[in-house]
Structures are given as C-alpha cells and as structure tokens.
C-alpha cells in the first residue's frame, strides 16, 4: 500500500489467456495461463498454467452453461511482509459458468471456481465472478462486476474472504 496525502493506492495487475479447441460436439480441450500481482493480498507474483476439459452442457443464443476441470500448476511468491517462502503447488481447478441474455441490450455472466490443492484438499480457493453488461450504443456498454475470493489458508494478515464491486465503460471498435 502507498499512502500519498491520505490516499491509499493498491498495486494490482492481472493477465489471463485461455484457449479452447473443440474435440467433439460440446466437449472442448482448453489451456490457460495467468500472471497476477496484488498488494492487498500480499501477492508479489502468481503464475498459473493448466490444461483440461470443458463440457458445454447447454449452448443457445439466450443461455449458455458449461463446466470444466483442469489440473493447474501454481507458483506463488508473497511480499516480504507475509514472511512466507515461495510455493509451488498443483491444484485442481473446477468451474461452472453461466451466460444469460437478459434482454436485447443486456447480458449476464457468472462463473464459480473451486480449486483444491492436490496434496491437501483442505487448502482450497473459492472464486466467484458475476457481471452484467448493458449495451448503450453499437460501440459502448456499461459493465457492473462483482467478485468474491475465499482462501482457506490466506497469508498472515490477509482476510480469508475478499469482495470487490466495480463498474466501468467498455468500448468495442466494431459493433457486436
């Protein structure tokens, strides 16, 4: 945290890439990678990489439901304030995602991840993200996003559960 004139600034960075490739109808192979930094959770850096299967239970214009599971390798280095050594773990990332067309101008998304550690199922992370996109024009939409993160074994001095609410304006260069 940086305190400048009474203002708290938290350094956060997040990049995630995911690739899906159909195997047979409704079953996809997927791979992903992620890099993250978050001063609030004392996370200096986290690298994730994994690959597994995604099953599209339901895929229609108005609704989509999918589930997936993939082993993932996790490297985590906390800030010196956490007083912990870097860790390397393999977790099983399981998720369910839902997409819902609310109206001609609004779409809702939700995903829940449960990520237990392979060698200690009591050490798990539960992640939830929901968002509502409301189209304003051909190129602009408003996005409201809610996220919850729960860690059964958080670093020293970090709350087990973190909740975040953000709003923003999304610009798309071509119409959807």
């Amino acid at each position: 945290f940086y305190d400048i004139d009474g203002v708290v600034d938290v350094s956060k960075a997040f990049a995630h890439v995911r690739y899906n490739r159909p195997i047979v109808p409704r079953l996809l192979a997927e791979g992903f990678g992620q890099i993250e930094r978050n001063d609030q959770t004392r996370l200096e850096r986290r690298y994730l990489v994994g690959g597994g299967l995604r099953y599209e239970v339901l895929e229609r214009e108005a609704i989509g439901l999918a589930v997936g599971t993939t082993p993932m390798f996790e490297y985590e280095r906390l800030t010196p304030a956490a007083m912990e050594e870097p860790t390397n773990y393999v977790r099983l990332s399981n998720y369910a995602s839902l997409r819902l067309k609310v109206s001609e101008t609004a779409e809702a998304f939700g995903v829940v991840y449960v990520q237990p550690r392979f060698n200690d199922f009591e050490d798990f992370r539960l992640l939830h993200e929901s968002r509502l996109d409301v189209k304003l024009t051909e190129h602009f939409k408003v996005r409201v996003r809610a996220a919850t993160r729960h860690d059964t074994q958080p670093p020293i001095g970090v709350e087990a559960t973190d909740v975040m609410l953000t709003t923003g304006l999304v610009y798309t260069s071509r119409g959807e």
Side-chain angles (χ1 to χ4, degrees), residues 8-160:
V8 176
D9 183 25
V10 178
S11 175
K12 286 183 172 183
F14 182 86
H16 182 91
V17 63
R18 182 174 297 269
Y19 177 75
N20 292 321
R21 181 172 181 88
I23 299 172
V24 296
R26 297 169 47 174
L27 184 65
L28 297 91
E30 68 179 357
F32 68 90
Q34 180 175 308
I35 300 171
E36 185 178 3
R37 173 187 169 80
N38 186 339
D39 283 350
Q40 188 173 357
T41 59
R42 296 188 174 175
L43 182 63
E44 188 172 290
R45 71 180 71 112
R46 174 184 291 136
Y47 302 115
L48 303 177
V49 64
L53 296 174
R54 173 186 177 94
Y55 181 67
E56 294 179 341
V57 178
L58 183 61
E59 188 56 43
R60 306 275 190 274
E61 182 184 349
I63 188 170
L65 175 64
V67 295
T69 189
T70 176
M72 70 179 193
F73 172 78
E74 171 189 72
Y75 169 82
E76 196 172 83
R77 181 184 189 104
L78 301 176
T79 62
M83 299 181 292
E84 293 184 29
E85 293 296 316
T87 59
N88 291 296
Y89 293 127
V90 177
R91 293 185 181 272
L92 185 60
S93 183
N94 307 284
Y95 68 88
S97 67
L98 176 66
R99 175 190 50 80
L100 184 62
K101 184 175 180 180
V102 178
S103 71
E104 290 303 314
T105 59
E107 193 168 35
F109 302 88
V111 63
V112 175
Y113 291 90
V114 179
Q115 299 173 329
R117 205 169 83 200
F118 263 113
N119 62 344
D120 181 3
F121 277 92
E122 291 182 15
D123 177 5
F124 69 89
R125 297 202 172 122
L126 178 66
L127 310 162
H128 160 263
E129 182 177 323
S130 296
R131 79 174 196 245
L132 177 65
D133 288 346
V134 179
K135 188 175 180 179
L136 301 174
T137 69
E138 180 182 2
H139 297 287
F140 287 98
K141 59 185 165 186
V142 172
R143 175 169 290 164
V144 178
R145 182 175 162 251
T148 305
R149 166 181 263 162
H150 178 77
D151 187 345
T152 59
Q153 296 182 12
I156 296 168
V158 174
E159 295 290 327

